[in-house]
Amino acid sequence: MIEYAFQTNFELTHLDLYSVWLKEVALSEGCEIDGLQYVFVSDDELYEMNVKYLNHSTLTDIITFDYSENRALSGDLFISVDRVRENAETFKVSFDVELRRVMVHGLLHLAGYGDKSKEEEQLMRLKEDEKLKMFHVEQ
């Protein structure tokens, strides 16, 4: 099951499309989704979490708490809508594309991908790009 919570004035539409996509991404990595909660928050809220839980005094776009067992993905994924909006401008992509990149980035962490080393980061970017192509919106 995938749940979405909004602790800011942002609201994601087409939740069913996102859920189908995320489930397909998990399956493509040999995983299944046991329980994910995407929580959309402000920069301030995510910064406080980053300091409190990770001892990092920096802004970030996502913090993922992993409760997965084996290949059953479970976790809480907190996303800063402010950071996604700013990063979209910086990287010259739409807000929606950057949001999907961050959402799938968190899921890929749960599936076992890291991003601490240069090699891990390169693989993560390749996987993000691959998974972004899996998202389809009917017009």
Side-chain angles (χ1 to χ4, degrees):
M1 173 173 50
I2 302 173
E3 296 177 335
Y4 305 89
F6 305 94
Q7 296 178 0
T8 182
N9 61 0
F10 168 76
E11 187 150 342
L12 187 64
T13 59
H14 305 296
L15 296 179
D16 54 334
L17 294 176
Y18 281 88
S19 294
V20 167
W21 170 60
L22 293 164
K23 288 175 186 175
E24 288 176 359
V25 167
L27 287 174
S28 74
E29 290 296 326
C31 300
E32 62 182 39
I33 292 178
D34 184 39
L36 299 182
Q37 180 165 320
Y38 283 90
V39 184
F40 299 91
V41 299
S42 68
D43 258 354
D44 291 341
E45 190 169 352
L46 202 59
Y47 176 81
E48 288 177 24
M49 292 176 72
N50 210 9
V51 170
K52 182 176 181 178
Y53 297 111
L54 302 175
N55 271 342
H56 297 157
S57 58
T58 59
L59 294 172
T60 188
D61 49 13
I62 186 168
I63 295 177
T64 304
F65 294 96
D66 188 355
Y67 316 123
S68 302
E69 292 185 20
N70 301 316
R71 302 305 285 168
L73 305 184
S74 179
D76 293 323
L77 302 98
F78 292 84
I79 296 175
S80 167
V81 176
D82 301 323
R83 193 78 355 238
V84 169
R85 191 168 283 117
E86 188 170 307
N87 287 345
E89 289 178 24
T90 299
F91 301 131
K92 303 203 181 332
V93 297
S94 73
F95 173 83
D96 292 338
V97 166
E98 185 63 15
L99 179 64
R100 286 193 292 271
R101 180 176 301 279
V102 172
M103 290 175 75
V104 81
H105 180 91
L107 189 148
L108 289 168
H109 273 310
L110 297 176
Y113 292 94
D115 58 5
K116 298 298 181 209
S117 73
K118 195 68 165 171
E119 294 78 20
E120 286 179 335
E121 189 177 338
Q122 287 176 331
L123 179 57
M124 178 67 87
R125 294 296 166 257
L126 287 172
K127 285 291 183 176
E128 288 171 1
D129 291 342
E130 172 188 310
K131 304 313 180 188
L132 284 170
K133 292 176 185 169
M134 295 172 64
F135 187 87
H136 301 287
V137 177
E138 301 283 324
Q139 297 293 345

